Amino acid sequence: MNHSTPSARQPVRAATAAFIGTMIEWYDFYIYAMAAALVFGELFFPSQDPFLSTMASFGTFAVGFFARPLGGIVFGHLGDKIGRKKALMTTLMMMGVATVCIGLLPDFAKVGVLAPILLVLLRVVQGIAVGGEWGGAVLMAGEHAPKGRRTFYASFAQLGSPAGLVLSLIAFRAVSAMDKADFLAWGWRLPFLASAVLLIVGILIRLGVNESPEFQQAKDTRKTVKLPIAEVFRSSSGLVLLGIGANTIGIAGVYFTNTFMIAYTTQYVGVSKSLILDCLFAVAIIQFCIQPLAARLSERIGDARFLKLAALAAMISPYPMFMLVQSGQAVAMVIGIATAVVCMASFYSVIAGFMSGVFPTHVRYSAISLSYQVCGAIAGGLTPLAGTYLAHRFIGQWWPLAVFYSCLAGISLLSIVLLDARRQRRADAVDAVLAN
């Protein structure tokens, strides 16, 4: 009797730990994104041209994304070999320490070119950490889930993204209200230093979660493989490519609406930094509320059907978003950005559970991490840069940005259609074998 109760609580505990852990990781990642949009260009990449400073700052933001596949490979291997829990404890420590160190960095005026070099190195550590975090958090929640509830439980790892965004917006909204000289001198550092407290909380919560039962079963029956990533390339390379495409709008859409939009509205629409941060805070609350509802709805109508509808809606969403954002009015901007974010976030909430069911247990951490993080390197890392270039190239015209966003959603839609078709063929083959 005493043993069954803790076991019964493990699914909820695992989902909670996945949520808290990813919230901390994404808080760390998002405060870097906001600092890149608001302050890093001026402090670490000073230039006479604000466009060049912003591009250089977003370049360091992209570096973190290019490090993410390495994190996915390394921690995917560890997670498939020695366990999900050990890998996740390591990623959390790496992210927390790197973030605090960024908050302690001297700027260009004090140490010259060493400042951006150190910033890039710490950004790489952040990228490796978050590259290993996502896959493990999704699997710890999904593999602890009761039968038939994988998509909903895995969505708690996805819920960490808007929660981390809300925390990061609160932190930067508070410090950006400071006197500009104080903000540039030391105020921007406070959100990074606060990560030390979150790190301690995250570690304590994760210590209370058991290893994934599906991994433990695979280990007990000796179904683990010597080199999981090699097995992924041997048997599932096509699925990984489709997984990269499927994740596109869920990743790129976040950084389009939450990172690029800060630079776009302040530089081209003429709104204040505090106004766009307030608008994004309201939108983040909406995103946080919509994601669990989307996950529950997908359980009712089917995850593949839901993802197709969400991706189609995402293709349409940037046009009303930009028409409303151009007004520069707070309410209109919230409605406009929320229109796109609701579609994107609904997709993002469900894609984790969908993708975790595509791959076998013994290579699952490696496979979903590789799919997600390669997509993150390309779609997430380059989206703010591409958006900044298009805004500069087509000054006064928002339609190229809207078309760009539609293309990102279209890639996800096509990939989901192809993945679902392959899944249906595999299910039909299994049914045929059982019938015989």
Side-chain angles (χ1 to χ4, degrees), residues 147-172:
K147 187 175 180 180
R149 306 299 309 279
R150 182 189 296 272
T151 296
F152 181 69
Y153 275 73
S155 74
F156 278 82
Q158 303 294 71
L159 199 58
S161 177
L165 178 59
V166 168
L167 282 182
S168 64
L169 283 165
I170 290 172
F172 259 95

Side-chain angles (χ1 to χ4, degrees), residues 236-284:
S236 304
S237 55
L239 290 175
V240 168
L241 288 173
L242 289 175
I244 292 169
N247 278 294
T248 298
I249 192 59
I251 296 173
V254 170
Y255 295 101
F256 190 98
T257 55
N258 294 321
T259 304
F260 164 70
M261 196 58 74
I262 295 174
Y264 176 76
T265 53
T266 54
Q267 294 179 24
Y268 297 97
V269 182
V271 305
S272 66
K273 291 177 181 178
S274 59
L275 176 58
I276 184 59
L277 289 176
D278 286 346
C279 291
L280 290 178
F281 178 77
V283 172

Side-chain angles (χ1 to χ4, degrees), residues 136-150:
V138 166
L139 295 184
M140 280 293 274
E143 291 177 353
H144 272 95
K147 187 175 180 180
R149 306 299 309 279
R150 182 189 296 272

Side-chain angles (χ1 to χ4, degrees), residues 355-398:
M355 287 304 302
S356 68
V358 168
F359 300 101
T361 303
H362 62 288
V363 296
R364 188 175 288 158
Y365 199 146
S366 297
I368 70 166
S369 294
L370 187 65
S371 300
Y372 186 86
Q373 304 307 344
V374 170
C375 181
I378 300 168
L382 296 181
T383 291
L385 283 168
T388 301
Y389 170 78
L390 288 172
H392 185 71
R393 175 70 177 78
F394 298 94
I395 293 176
Q397 302 179 67
W398 55 262

Side-chain angles (χ1 to χ4, degrees), residues 18-298:
F19 164 63
I20 297 295
T22 53
M23 178 185 71
I24 294 166
E25 295 263 357
W26 286 117
Y27 167 80
D28 291 347
F29 216 68
Y30 281 134
I31 57 173
Y32 189 102
M34 290 178 188
L38 293 171
V39 72
F40 281 168
E42 188 172 348
L43 291 180
F44 290 89
F45 306 95
S47 167
Q48 297 298 319
D49 188 344
F51 168 69
L52 294 178
S53 292
T54 301
M55 287 292 281
S57 183
F58 279 152
T60 68
F61 178 67
V63 164
F65 282 90
F66 294 129
R68 280 167 61 168
L70 176 60
I73 291 170
V74 170
F75 287 102
H77 173 83
L78 293 174
D80 283 328
K81 289 288 289 182
I82 66 173
R84 303 357 183 171
K85 181 174 179 177
K86 291 177 182 176
L88 285 172
M89 294 297 287
T90 307
T91 61
L92 192 62
M93 285 288 295
M94 285 177 63
M95 177 62 96
V97 171
T99 303
V100 172
C101 287
I102 290 173
L104 298 172
L105 276 183
D107 59 26
F108 189 92
K110 290 186 174 66
V111 295
V113 73
L114 182 62
I117 290 173
L118 291 173
L119 182 66
V120 169
L121 288 175
L122 289 170
R123 180 61 176 165
V124 169
V125 175
Q126 274 196 327
I128 292 172
V130 84
E133 165 72 21
W134 180 84
V138 166
L139 295 184
M140 280 293 274
E143 291 177 353
H144 272 95
K147 187 175 180 180
R149 306 299 309 279
R150 182 189 296 272
T151 296
F152 181 69
Y153 275 73
S155 74
F156 278 82
Q158 303 294 71
L159 199 58
S161 177
L165 178 59
V166 168
L167 282 182
S168 64
L169 283 165
I170 290 172
F172 259 95
R173 181 67 183 87
V175 296
S176 66
M178 297 170 59
D179 174 77
K180 184 177 180 182
D182 289 338
F183 174 65
L184 292 175
W186 56 270
W188 68 269
R189 300 177 185 275
L190 298 179
F192 289 88
L193 299 177
S195 182
V197 178
L198 296 177
L199 173 63
I200 295 170
V201 173
I203 289 173
L204 292 175
I205 290 173
R206 281 202 167 153
L207 284 172
V209 181
N210 296 337
E211 181 54 83
S212 153
E214 290 187 29
F215 170 79
Q216 199 61 53
Q217 183 180 14
K219 185 178 180 182
D220 292 343
T221 55
R222 300 185 183 278
K223 287 187 178 179
T224 56
V225 294
K226 186 174 182 180
L227 195 59
I229 194 66
E231 177 65 18
V232 170
F233 282 117
R234 188 190 69 78
S235 62
S236 304
S237 55
L239 290 175
V240 168
L241 288 173
L242 289 175
I244 292 169
N247 278 294
T248 298
I249 192 59
I251 296 173
V254 170
Y255 295 101
F256 190 98
T257 55
N258 294 321
T259 304
F260 164 70
M261 196 58 74
I262 295 174
Y264 176 76
T265 53
T266 54
Q267 294 179 24
Y268 297 97
V269 182
V271 305
S272 66
K273 291 177 181 178
S274 59
L275 176 58
I276 184 59
L277 289 176
D278 286 346
C279 291
L280 290 178
F281 178 77
V283 172
I285 297 294
I286 294 169
Q287 181 182 350
F288 184 81
C289 295
I290 206 71
Q291 283 192 198
L293 297 177
R296 287 290 289 127
L297 180 59
S298 76

